[in-house]
Amino acid sequence: QVQLVQSGAEVKKPGASVKVSCKTSGYTFISYGITWVRQAPGQGLEWMGWISGFNGNTKYAQKFQGRLTMTRDTSTSTAYMELRNLRSDDTAVFYCARDWTTGWYDPWGQGTLVTVFS
Amino acid sequence: QSVLTQPPSASGTPGQRVSMSCSGGSSNIGSNAVNWYQQLPGTAPRLVIHSDNQRPSGVPDRFSGSKSGTSASLAISGLQSDDQADYYCAAWDESLNTVVFGGGTKVTVL
């Protein structure tokens, strides 16, 4: 079955960086993209960006431009999301999801809690 | 404020039908497909409707989606206690060049 398994929770200080991994299995990695979505505590879902599994092309939400980088490793079918210069309001659960097309994500990873705390 | 507007809450008794709306504009719902997600407390979102009205395999046919103009709706018939969750709509927005989500509707089974 298709699975996306994310790395564990992180605690970071303001100004630091975090890199979250999303290891996929059960499907051909290069046939789909991976989208990243975050959810602040008690809040809704926020699209961060997308990376093509095929060629690594990326598209980021404007608000994250300059401090967000998405990469992938086709040899391990794993996608990565790195967010730099963390602030307290970046505290959130970060999800990866297999991207069928824009807005259509299935399935999702279990989520990774990133806490930014001084 | 979210670009897509959803009512904050909806409720019904077991067996009833509950529906929720997702209102947008010409740059998102009016020109792109709408997708719906269910998020049970403490879990990751789960796709329940894609491409306006298509159910993924494994999603009960009690869930249905529709769209008209710049608004979409998700309906749940034969409401069950397992359906108690937050529901989010999502669509691509051509003006913002991003995927936009609604603020979510919390469904309570009374």
Side-chain angles (χ1 to χ4, degrees), chain A residues 2 4 97-100 104-108, chain B residues 37 46-47 56:
Chain A
V2 176
L4 284 72
R98 183 173 64 165
D99 185 315
W100 289 73
W104 176 359
Y105 310 128
D106 182 43
W108 295 54
Chain B
Y37 297 91
R46 169 200 179 202
L47 178 75

Side-chain angles (χ1 to χ4, degrees), chain A residues 21-24 29 34 71-80:
Chain A
S21 67
C22 172
K23 183 165 177 57
T24 74
F29 181 76
I34 294 288
T71 56
R72 96 270 191 250
D73 182 343
T74 57
S75 68
T76 60
S77 300
T78 302
Y80 299 90

Side-chain angles (χ1 to χ4, degrees), chain B residues 9-101:
Chain B
S9 63
S11 63
T13 56
Q16 273 190 329
R17 181 179 185 274
V18 66
S19 66
M20 64 205 81
S21 60
C22 174
S23 178
S26 58
S27 62
N28 43 67
I29 293 178
S31 50
N32 294 287
V34 178
N35 309 277
W36 291 89
Y37 297 91
Q38 175 195 63
Q39 187 175 34
L40 300 170
T43 70
R46 169 200 179 202
L47 178 75
V48 292
I49 293 288
H50 69 84
S51 307
D52 298 337
N53 55 18
Q54 301 299 303
R55 262 180 298 104
S57 61
V59 174
D61 59 7
R62 301 184 297 104
F63 290 83
S64 62
S66 63
K67 186 173 85 172
S68 178
T70 58
S71 290
S73 290
L74 174 70
I76 311 172
S77 60
L79 196 64
Q80 299 179 2
S81 57
D82 291 356
D83 301 330
Q84 188 156 296
D86 294 323
Y87 292 83
Y88 295 91
C89 56
W92 176 255
D93 189 297
E94 295 172 351
S95 296
L96 298 175
N97 212 22
T98 186
V99 171
V100 289
F101 286 93

